[in-house]
Amino acid sequence: MLKQLFLFLFLCSISFGLAQERNQAFKTKKLAYTKAEIQIDTLALNPNSFKMYNFNNQEIDTSFYSFNYQTKKLLFKKEFQDSVKVTYYQLPNFLTKTYTIYDEKKIVPNENGRLLTFTENNKKPISVFNGLQTNGSISRGVTIGNNQNTVLNSNLDLQISGKLADNVTLKASIQDSNIPLQEGGYSQKLDEFDQIFIELSSKNWNVRAGDLFLENRKTSFLNFNKKVQGLSSHFNWGNTQKNDLFLAASLVRGQYARSNFTGQEGNQGPYKLRGNNGELYVLIISGSERVYVNGILKERGENKDYIIDYNAGEIIFNATFPITSEMRIVMEYQYSDRNFTRFLSYGGFQHESDKFSIGAYVYSENDVKNQPLQQSLSEEQVQILQNAGDDATLMNAPSAYEDSYSENKILYKKTLIGSTEIFEFSTDETLTLYQVKFTFVGTNLGNYVLASNNTIGKIYEYVAPIAGIPQGNYEPIVKLIAPTKIQIATIVSKYTPSEKTEIETEIAISNNDKNLFSGIDDANNQGIASKLNFKQQLFSKGINVQSFANINYIQENFKPIERLYNIEFNRDWNITNPLGNQVLIVGGLQFNSVQKDSVKWQTFGKYQFEKLDYSINFSGNKHVFQAVAKNKSVVFQTQTSLMKSRSDYSESDFFRNQNVAKYHIKKNYFGGSFRAENSKELLTQTQVLSNFSQRFTEFGNFIGRGDSTKVFTEIGYLARQNDSIQNNILQRVNASFSSYLKSQLIKNDRRNLGIFINYRTL
């Protein structure tokens, strides 16, 4: 019985091995139609095994194609709209292999035939650092002035590249300046290198250290980019099924922040940026900013839209991009937050095959609460944070402490006004005096005002409340910053059962702790978000028609790293303070013409319906239509949206329309544009329009000659009429007219000359 069992297992293993070998020899490929010959394979094929199938898996007759078994090349005889599939078997290796009794590497030709020779291997061993190349510079400079001390400046720029071994490459860059000007780095100490980058790489892996840029744009709920200092590694393997594994651990120098402001008429800047806690003087991480004006992303550069002073935290718009009072400016950036030592860890795994892919990502960023940097917390201050929970208004500590008298100090004494103990400026050295720090808390939110500002310092004075309403702006307190933590884990998958169908899913969970010192209010730390996307190709002959549907569900407590939707999502929906779980449903149709030489017009169109709900206080829907049509001479674009919403605060309607048309005549062109918005928000309680209601119409024309990417000249104008709330009525408030001339006269590798003139009346 045992022998029979062994025999059965032996036969099964042989059959499994033969089946596995047969499966390895069987090949399947998908091909798109082309007029040129297609190289199918480089190895010999079984002549009777080559077959071709259409999209419905039906075999295609050989009259539609020809296949050369000698060269392994395929040529289509007739045109195919959809892709085709070919299958074949490779001949076994032992049939096609070249056999010889001599080593081909040791045979050299001569006049009488082939001579068998033997040579010694004289290859020298490779030294580890022989393949490295270094270049760079070190500079020293002295600054001397009649109103300053002598200053010694130094700069280092070192580049290293080369091979450490046959399959291992080294790249390194070290840059340092004793005055870090934030051009490419963000050090805050003079003894730090401004920028260090080291990379070891091979075919299937790489390891990076130093100043790194971490980014994830493959998921919706874990969407971020960070400039950090640390270590990252990446490994990949697999041919038909690809696998990627990556890990990173680092110190975080930048924290995400966002600033919103309206442009001032004719004021190009500078505009000051702030931190998340209202910090006025922040150090912006270089290259981390994204600037949007009226929802459109702008470019940094002296010849672009704006420049930015990273050290001062200020942005200045160029003269070629005039700022008006009609511009909504939104900035996203990372600033150097040094309240606590902050760690970041990030990792993930991706698996991808022909029809299915899946990825898992984990992100964790948290402060080390026992390692404060810019603030030194006493035991009493830690106790305040422990009792505050997540309420930032309770994270305040008294700032006064006893100090010795000095003529060069601003000191205060304690006194009583009624039953209220206050601080009063005093120079009486016989009294107990206090050093007091006053913090701005907001207009009519404090009990102290700035009385005077002399060379020694600022003097604050108590002002009694009137009818219980504070009359000052300052308080003798210091704001405490609590250590925080945010963690996100997400799983994303994609399934394409056919070329016409695509399904995507994503689910994520977040853990956001606003105060690591306190367990109070931790019940709302965690939240869940999920997404389902579906696409289906409906028609593909002459014109492509595709349907799509998206469903997003986001719990109220879910906290992303950055924003989830477009930069003006709240304005598009007239959202003020949404509460509850969010559900966003999007569905629609999209079409575009198939690109062919016989088609004169290229067209694109899209309609989508959106439904947005917050479970507590908001519900709205929106219709969006956009279209593009162009040929060799004409380009036309249009986009229209209509939104209606209802909340416990108001009801709103929002209509938007944008159109652009352009006509080319050889090197000349002319065109026009039209934009309009009409937003009405009716307050539920009073039944009057809110101050957010507005309306405008704008039209313009332009004419030019040349290529806008090279040498060109363009002249045009824009006329706009603005309506706003006046006496509870939406009526005309101003009108503007702008005319401009812009030209690029010279543009080459050595010279660049341009002209921009803008004249505006309001």
Side-chain angles (χ1 to χ4, degrees):
M1 181 65 182
L2 187 60
K3 292 182 179 180
Q4 295 177 351
L5 179 61
F6 281 138
L7 179 61
F8 175 74
L9 294 176
F10 178 72
L11 293 176
C12 288
S13 64
I14 292 176
S15 61
F16 177 76
L18 292 174
Q20 187 178 28
E21 183 178 358
R22 180 179 177 87
N23 289 335
Q24 292 178 351
F26 182 74
K27 301 294 181 181
T28 301
K29 292 186 178 181
K30 287 185 177 181
L31 305 173
Y33 170 77
T34 178
K35 296 180 179 180
E37 288 185 326
I38 302 175
Q39 185 72 44
I40 298 298
D41 209 322
T42 57
L43 301 179
L45 312 182
N46 188 334
N48 298 322
S49 65
F50 187 86
K51 297 183 183 298
M52 181 181 294
Y53 300 90
N54 61 13
F55 181 79
N56 297 322
N57 212 27
Q58 298 176 347
E59 186 175 351
I60 299 175
D61 190 77
T62 55
S63 61
F64 287 82
Y65 65 92
S66 65
F67 182 71
N68 190 327
Y69 288 95
Q70 299 295 328
T71 61
K72 294 86 175 176
K73 291 184 178 180
L74 173 68
L75 179 64
F76 289 103
K77 295 181 178 179
K78 296 184 179 180
E79 183 178 350
F80 290 89
Q81 294 293 335
D82 296 323
S83 61
V84 298
K85 179 178 70 174
V86 297
T87 63
Y88 59 90
Y89 281 97
Q90 291 179 342
L91 291 178
N93 186 41
F94 68 88
L95 292 178
T96 59
K97 180 179 178 181
T98 301
Y99 294 91
T100 178
I101 60 175
Y102 301 115
D103 188 353
E104 292 287 342
K105 297 179 180 179
K106 297 180 179 180
I107 298 178
V108 296
N110 66 357
E111 296 179 354
N112 298 322
R114 308 185 76 185
L115 177 66
L116 179 62
T117 62
F118 296 90
T119 60
E120 296 293 334
N121 187 1
N122 296 323
K123 289 185 178 180
K124 296 181 180 180
I126 298 176
S127 179
V128 176
F129 299 105
N130 273 358
L132 294 183
Q133 296 180 354
T134 59
N135 60 78
S137 63
I138 298 177
S139 62
R140 297 284 189 268
V142 178
T143 302
I144 301 175
N146 58 0
N147 195 27
Q148 69 175 51
N149 296 327
T150 302
V151 179
L152 175 65
N153 300 323
S154 63
N155 294 277
L156 167 67
D157 185 1
L158 177 62
Q159 311 291 328
I160 304 174
S161 62
K163 286 185 174 293
L164 294 179
D166 290 341
N167 298 322
V168 180
T169 302
L170 170 67
K171 295 179 182 178
S173 174
I174 301 175
Q175 299 175 2
D176 184 36
S177 173
N178 66 341
I179 303 179
L181 296 179
Q182 278 286 300
E183 186 62 32
Y186 47 88
S187 63
Q188 288 186 301
K189 298 179 181 179
L190 298 184
D191 59 352
E192 290 181 345
F193 282 108
D194 284 350
Q195 190 173 42
I196 299 178
F197 176 79
I198 301 173
E199 181 186 41
L200 287 173
S201 61
S202 185
K203 181 180 179 180
N204 297 322
W205 60 267
N206 68 64
V207 178
R208 297 176 178 176
D211 293 279
L212 307 176
F213 182 75
L214 301 180
E215 184 179 32
N216 184 0
R217 300 301 184 193
K218 297 182 179 180
T219 65
S220 298
F221 303 126
L222 184 50
N223 181 31
F224 75 95
N225 70 77
K226 287 279 187 180
K227 282 196 170 185
V228 299
Q229 287 185 341
L231 180 71
S232 71
S233 59
H234 181 216
F235 307 90
N236 61 80
W237 65 94
N239 294 321
T240 57
Q241 296 186 354
K242 298 180 181 180
N243 301 279
D244 288 305
L245 175 66
F246 50 91
L247 301 167
S250 61
L251 285 173
V252 180
R253 296 299 178 87
Q255 187 171 354
Y256 175 81
R258 176 171 169 170
S259 291
N260 303 272
F261 54 92
T262 302
Q264 300 176 7
E265 186 72 32
N267 184 5
Q268 298 299 115
Y271 292 94
K272 194 71 177 176
L273 306 178
R274 297 175 180 265
N276 288 329
N277 299 306
E279 302 97 331
L280 186 59
Y281 302 101
V282 294
L283 185 69
I284 307 299
I285 304 303
S286 64
S288 65
E289 84 284 351
R290 293 192 296 269
V291 181
Y292 297 86
V293 178
N294 292 341
I296 300 174
L297 181 64
K298 298 302 175 182
E299 294 184 73
R300 173 171 60 94
E302 294 182 352
N303 298 322
K304 301 295 184 179
D305 301 314
Y306 69 91
I307 58 175
I308 185 169
D309 187 338
Y310 293 113
N311 285 347
E314 296 176 344
I315 181 173
I316 300 175
F317 292 92
N318 298 332
T320 55
F321 185 73
I323 298 299
T324 69
S325 58
E326 301 152 355
M327 292 183 173
R328 305 176 303 275
I329 303 173
V330 182
M331 281 197 62
E332 296 179 308
Y333 51 91
Q334 298 173 36
Y335 70 98
S336 184
D337 181 10
R338 304 287 289 175
N339 293 310
F340 294 89
T341 300
R342 195 170 183 87
F343 281 105
L344 183 150
S345 55
Y346 171 61
F349 174 77
Q350 300 174 5
H351 172 79
E352 183 178 348
S353 60
D354 291 339
K355 293 186 177 181
F356 179 74
S357 63
I358 188 171
Y361 308 86
V362 178
Y363 178 96
S364 177
E365 182 180 350
N366 65 282
D367 293 324
V368 182
K369 64 180 182 180
N370 296 324
Q371 295 184 17
L373 298 177
Q374 290 183 347
Q375 57 179 355
S376 180
L377 300 176
S378 63
E379 293 183 1
E380 292 78 10
Q381 291 174 334
V382 171
Q383 186 64 43
I384 292 174
L385 290 175
Q386 290 175 347
N387 297 331
D390 294 345
D391 191 350
T393 61
L394 301 178
M395 299 179 187
N396 300 317
S399 63
Y401 62 90
E402 287 190 23
D403 200 358
S404 59
Y405 174 78
S406 173
E407 294 180 353
N408 298 321
K409 294 180 181 178
I410 302 294
L411 301 175
Y412 297 82
K413 67 178 181 179
K414 287 184 178 180
T415 185
L416 291 175
I417 295 182
S419 59
T420 304
E421 184 181 63
I422 67 165
F423 290 99
E424 183 180 345
F425 173 71
S426 176
T427 57
D428 189 350
E429 57 184 319
T430 63
L431 300 176
T432 302
L433 300 178
Y434 296 86
Q435 184 77 255
V436 184
K437 178 182 178 181
F438 290 86
T439 300
F440 179 80
V441 294
T443 304
N444 291 346
L445 296 177
N447 294 306
Y448 290 82
V449 296
L450 181 62
S452 65
N453 188 2
N454 54 39
T455 57
I456 300 176
K458 298 178 180 179
I459 299 176
Y460 296 87
E461 185 179 66
Y462 176 80
V463 180
I466 299 176
I469 300 176
Q471 301 300 305
N473 307 326
Y474 298 87
E475 278 292 302
I477 60 173
V478 58
K479 288 187 176 182
L480 303 178
I481 306 300
T484 61
K485 175 178 68 176
I486 182 168
Q487 298 172 322
I488 296 181
T490 180
I491 298 176
V492 58
S493 64
K494 180 179 179 180
Y495 177 57
T496 53
S498 66
E499 292 185 350
K500 295 186 176 182
T501 306
E502 182 178 293
I503 303 172
E504 294 180 351
T505 63
E506 183 178 351
I507 184 169
I509 182 171
S510 71
N511 180 29
N512 180 37
D513 195 337
K514 297 180 180 179
N515 187 353
L516 294 178
F517 278 118
S518 176
I520 303 174
D521 300 328
D522 280 355
N524 62 351
N525 285 357
Q526 296 182 352
I528 295 177
S530 60
K531 180 185 74 170
L532 174 64
N533 292 349
F534 177 80
K535 295 180 182 179
Q536 178 65 45
Q537 188 82 19
L538 301 179
F539 192 76
S540 59
K541 293 184 178 180
I543 186 171
N544 292 324
V545 181
Q546 184 184 73
S547 64
F548 58 90
N550 308 325
I551 301 176
N552 285 16
Y553 171 77
I554 303 173
Q555 284 188 348
E556 183 178 14
N557 297 328
F558 181 82
K559 173 67 175 177
I561 307 297
E562 299 181 5
R563 58 182 171 85
L564 296 178
Y565 303 110
N566 67 74
I567 195 69
E568 292 200 319
F569 180 81
N570 287 355
R571 182 178 185 271
D572 292 343
W573 289 95
N574 279 346
I575 296 175
T576 52
N577 185 28
L579 299 174
N581 301 330
Q582 180 201 99
V583 177
L584 175 61
I585 302 174
V586 179
L589 293 173
Q590 175 179 309
F591 70 88
N592 62 279
S593 59
V594 178
Q595 294 187 3
K596 292 183 179 179
D597 296 337
S598 59
V599 177
K600 296 183 179 180
W601 284 88
Q602 296 182 15
T603 58
F604 168 82
K606 183 179 180 181
Y607 166 78
Q608 68 182 37
F609 172 78
E610 303 177 15
K611 183 73 168 66
L612 176 65
D613 290 304
Y614 287 89
S615 57
I616 295 179
N617 67 344
F618 183 88
S619 179
N621 61 76
K622 182 166 60 172
H623 303 268
V624 180
F625 173 76
Q626 55 182 320
V628 178
K630 63 180 181 179
N631 60 15
K632 293 182 179 180
S633 302
V634 180
V635 177
F636 175 74
Q637 302 178 41
T638 182
Q639 182 172 348
T640 303
S641 66
L642 176 62
M643 188 276 299
K644 291 182 177 291
S645 67
R646 175 190 294 270
S647 68
D648 57 355
Y649 172 76
S650 64
E651 296 181 5
S652 63
D653 298 330
F654 194 1
F655 171 79
R656 305 173 77 174
N657 179 252
Q658 300 182 35
N659 303 276
V660 177
K662 191 174 182 181
Y663 185 77
H664 289 265
I665 306 176
K666 296 182 179 180
K667 292 185 177 182
N668 306 306
Y669 62 89
F670 64 90
S673 63
F674 176 80
R675 296 172 58 223
E677 285 189 6
N678 188 357
S679 177
K680 295 181 180 180
E681 185 178 42
L682 187 67
L683 300 179
T684 305
Q685 293 183 349
T686 60
Q687 292 298 305
V688 297
L689 295 175
S690 73
N691 292 331
F692 292 103
S693 301
Q694 58 87 24
R695 178 174 59 207
F696 79 83
T697 57
E698 179 186 86
F699 64 90
N701 291 289
F702 55 88
I703 185 172
R705 176 179 174 83
D707 186 351
S708 60
T709 61
K710 298 178 182 178
V711 177
F712 74 98
T713 299
E714 180 178 307
I715 186 172
Y717 73 90
L718 287 173
R720 174 166 171 150
Q721 296 177 342
N722 295 308
D723 299 343
S724 187
I725 296 296
Q726 300 287 328
N727 300 321
N728 296 327
I729 300 175
L730 194 62
Q731 56 185 348
R732 182 70 40 80
V733 292
N734 60 48
S736 63
F737 183 86
S738 301
S739 56
Y740 65 88
L741 167 66
K742 55 183 179 180
S743 177
Q744 187 71 48
L745 301 178
I746 302 174
K747 187 174 184 180
N748 53 44
D749 295 337
R750 300 180 59 185
R751 298 178 180 85
N752 192 345
L753 176 61
I755 297 176
F756 180 80
I757 301 174
N758 183 78
Y759 180 75
R760 173 179 166 88
T761 59
L762 181 63

